[in-house]
Amino acid sequence: EAGVAQSPRYKIIEKRQSVAFWCNPISGHATLYWYQQILGQGPKLLIQFQNNGVVDDSQLPKDRFSAERLKGVDSTLKIQPAKLEDSAVYLCASGLAGRHQETQYFGPGTRLLVL
Amino acid sequence: DQQVKQNSPSLSVQEGRISILNCDYTNSMFDYFLWYKKYPAEGPTFLISISSIKDKNEDGRFTVFLNKSAKHLSLHIVPSQPGDSAVYFCAASDIGQGAQKLVFGQGTRLTINP
């Protein structure tokens, strides 16, 4: 079974530029999550989708971050404009149904460096 | 407000010995706990979980203990092997959120020495 795919794996941009990350979840998984992991910290949830609807985006900085999940499969996360503090690993995860006691499966992440 | 805390950033253990990783939480509404393992340049992978109705869950060399009164959980690895060297994250979730929303600790880097 193929895992969660993410691209690109690495990205270096200058502050105020825009960047987009792509995620393809495990086939059949209805729930998709985007996390931000800053160096030395644990992953922090940014947004959760159930199929193509948003379940929770309370921790997404909506003035600069946006995400979409068209057709309930792939998802993109965009940052516009980027700030220095956005340097982090962006992890995508998926789950079968998003139920409470369920395992989330993570992709390898995209490492972003903002200069 | 750090609701899930792993106070040891790193731990070094000799191969064959027991590794004990600790995690504390503050939110009494958390009722499901997980441990994830992360190798460099990879995403976290699920290791083991425990529901608040239990105080122990075992899977091979890995055992998780939950002390609800102390709001503390621990992961025991016996015997420790070199391949166990990784960063370990504990995470917690509460049913009141409806859909699963995980809160992660900062992680503990475990190094197993031959």
Side-chain angles (χ1 to χ4, degrees):
Chain A
E1 178 183 85
V4 177
Q6 290 187 247
S7 68
R9 294 295 310 274
Y10 304 92
K11 191 73 177 179
I12 301 175
I13 62 172
E14 295 188 350
K15 59 183 179 183
R16 290 188 288 274
Q17 284 187 323
S18 302
V19 65
F21 313 127
W22 173 83
C23 173
N24 180 239
I26 292 173
S27 177
H29 280 195
T31 311
L32 186 146
Y33 311 81
W34 282 102
Y35 289 85
Q36 179 192 58
Q37 185 181 8
I38 293 172
L39 188 64
Q41 300 181 19
K44 184 185 87 171
L45 179 69
L46 292 176
I47 188 167
Q48 177 185 352
F49 292 94
Q50 185 75 12
N51 296 307
N52 60 350
V54 175
V55 174
D56 184 349
D57 63 357
S58 57
Q59 298 190 95
L60 187 73
K62 298 181 187 63
D63 58 335
R64 298 183 301 105
F65 285 66
S66 64
E68 60 181 7
R69 190 183 184 197
L70 299 175
K71 300 180 182 178
V73 181
D74 294 4
S75 177
T76 55
L77 176 69
K78 296 179 182 177
I79 308 175
Q80 180 180 10
K83 292 185 175 181
L84 296 177
E85 58 261 36
D86 298 332
S87 294
V89 176
Y90 290 85
L91 294 161
C92 179
S94 70
L96 192 58
R99 283 188 293 268
H100 176 47
Q101 294 188 0
E102 183 178 276
T103 299
Q104 294 184 23
Y105 298 87
F106 285 81
T110 296
R111 184 175 297 274
L112 173 68
L113 179 61
V114 182
L115 301 175
Chain B
D1 177 28
Q2 190 76 27
Q3 297 187 71
V4 178
K5 295 182 182 179
Q6 294 175 255
N7 292 317
S8 298
S10 62
L11 176 67
S12 186
V13 174
Q14 198 165 1
E15 181 178 0
R17 298 290 189 101
I18 183 171
S19 295
I20 301 176
L21 296 95
N22 294 302
C23 180
D24 297 296
Y25 62 96
T26 57
N27 188 343
S28 57
M29 298 302 292
F30 287 147
D31 66 344
Y32 187 62
F33 305 89
L34 309 89
W35 284 94
Y36 279 83
K37 174 179 178 180
K38 186 181 184 303
Y39 292 119
E42 295 183 12
T45 56
F46 170 74
L47 196 56
I48 192 169
S49 63
I50 187 167
S51 166
S52 60
I53 63 173
K54 296 183 176 181
D55 54 17
K56 176 183 175 181
N57 189 26
E58 194 171 351
D59 183 2
R61 297 186 297 113
F62 303 91
T63 303
V64 56
F65 295 92
L66 175 62
N67 183 332
K68 291 184 289 294
S69 61
K71 294 190 178 69
H72 177 84
L73 65 155
S74 61
L75 174 68
H76 292 210
I77 306 173
V78 182
S80 300
Q81 298 175 355
D84 296 329
S85 295
V87 177
Y88 289 78
F89 292 98
C90 69
S93 172
D94 80 74
I95 196 168
Q97 294 287 336
Q100 186 180 70
K101 180 177 178 178
L102 294 182
V103 179
F104 283 83
Q106 312 96 303
T108 296
R109 181 177 302 278
L110 175 66
T111 302
I112 306 301
N113 302 306

